[in-house]
Amino acid sequence: DTAVSQTPKYLVTQMGNDKSIKCEQNLGHDTMYWYKQDSKKFLKIMFSYNNKELIINETVPNRFSPKSPDKAHLNLHINSLELGDSAVYFCASRRDRGRQETQYFGPGTRLLVL
Amino acid sequence: KQEVTQIPAALSVPEGENLVLNCSFTDSAIYNLQWFRQDPGKGLTSLLLIQSSQREQTSGRLNASLDKSSGRSTLYIAASQPGDSATYLCAVGEFGGTSYGKLTFGQGTILTVHP
């Protein structure tokens, strides 16, 4: 069973379009994250939700809007896509039980904006 | 603002060699430090996690150390194998204020182990 899943795996779209990426975790974790990995493979956090509440919001254009309908899901909606949004987007989750808890990552969604 | 640096950026070694990957971070007020592995086109797999109060962790042929005061961590891989070829990422965990388990990543070390 996949612990953290993302859909779609690949997304090719035109500039200016609006798209969504979905993430689901079946681990019963409390906190979920979105990371962006750019063309140089640098991973950077974008958002985090804890029990459906936004707790981390890094400097991300407001074209990006996360939504957490419940604790197991964290979706990412992107408006007016730009060429620079092309990247791999990773979802992750973590259980809030202390310093020993790691984050579990999904397989990534490869977004290409043409 | 936390910054994480990994050295070297790439490493190519023959099979069987022992090797060390380095990671340094600028703010010692960390929650934990993790080493991940990323295979091409895949997600991240956690290898080792060192809590801020610990000095090292071991798993099989892997050993990771943490020196919080100097802002450094090393990942030691013993008897490397071609299957170890991947990108290795160091990530510092922060907790407190608005950090809430946020991971700050280094840029990674691309490891190639050739037969």
Side-chain angles (χ1 to χ4, degrees):
Chain A
D1 282 344
T2 305
V4 182
S5 59
Q6 295 179 228
T7 53
K9 194 170 181 181
Y10 298 97
L11 185 53
V12 181
T13 187
Q14 298 288 329
M15 242 175 26
N17 284 350
D18 303 338
K19 291 292 178 186
S20 291
I21 306 172
K22 296 187 176 182
C23 177
E24 176 181 1
Q25 54 96 2
N26 62 5
L27 299 166
H29 287 172
D30 310 289
T31 305
M32 296 183 72
Y33 307 82
W34 276 111
Y35 290 87
K36 178 181 179 181
Q37 188 172 43
D38 61 25
S39 56
K40 295 181 181 177
K41 307 297 184 189
F42 191 60
L43 258 168
K44 191 170 180 183
I45 191 165
M46 300 173 70
F47 300 103
S48 176
Y49 269 74
N50 178 262
N51 287 312
K52 301 197 300 177
E53 182 184 345
L54 180 65
I55 51 171
I56 295 176
N57 186 353
E58 294 290 291
T59 307
V60 176
N62 57 15
R63 299 181 294 104
F64 290 78
S65 52
K67 283 193 171 46
S68 181
D70 55 59
K71 219 171 74 160
H73 296 84
L74 180 61
N75 303 324
L76 184 64
H77 187 76
I78 314 170
N79 287 327
S80 303
L81 279 155
E82 300 177 357
L83 295 176
D85 297 333
S86 296
V88 182
Y89 292 85
F90 287 100
C91 176
S93 72
R94 178 180 179 273
R95 185 175 60 171
D96 291 337
R97 292 292 184 272
R99 299 168 195 264
Q100 74 280 9
E101 299 294 337
T102 187
Q103 290 186 21
Y104 291 81
F105 281 76
T109 294
R110 283 142 190 85
L111 171 64
L112 178 60
V113 182
L114 302 174
Chain B
K1 180 189 167 189
Q2 181 73 266
E3 291 183 4
V4 181
T5 304
Q6 290 186 245
I7 296 172
L11 185 62
S12 180
V13 299
E15 183 176 3
E17 197 160 294
N18 302 326
L19 54 99
V20 174
L21 307 182
N22 297 290
C23 172
S24 62
F25 47 95
T26 54
D27 186 346
S28 61
I30 66 171
Y31 192 63
N32 56 33
L33 185 142
Q34 299 180 54
W35 284 92
F36 290 89
R37 169 185 173 140
Q38 185 175 25
D39 292 286
K42 299 283 178 65
L44 279 68
T45 302
S46 179
L47 296 173
L48 290 166
L49 181 152
I50 311 175
Q51 298 177 49
S52 59
S53 57
Q54 297 175 324
R55 300 278 300 183
E56 68 176 344
Q57 282 288 336
T58 298
S59 175
R61 295 182 293 107
L62 305 180
N63 175 277
S65 67
L66 173 63
D67 184 342
K68 246 181 59 168
S69 59
S70 66
R72 294 183 185 187
S73 175
T74 60
L75 178 66
Y76 175 83
I77 303 177
S80 57
Q81 303 171 357
D84 294 331
S85 298
T87 298
Y88 289 80
L89 295 160
C90 170
V92 169
E94 301 171 67
F95 208 109
T98 57
S99 295
Y100 221 95
K102 162 186 168 181
L103 288 177
T104 301
F105 283 85
Q107 73 276 34
T109 293
I110 303 171
L111 173 65
T112 304
V113 181
H114 46 89

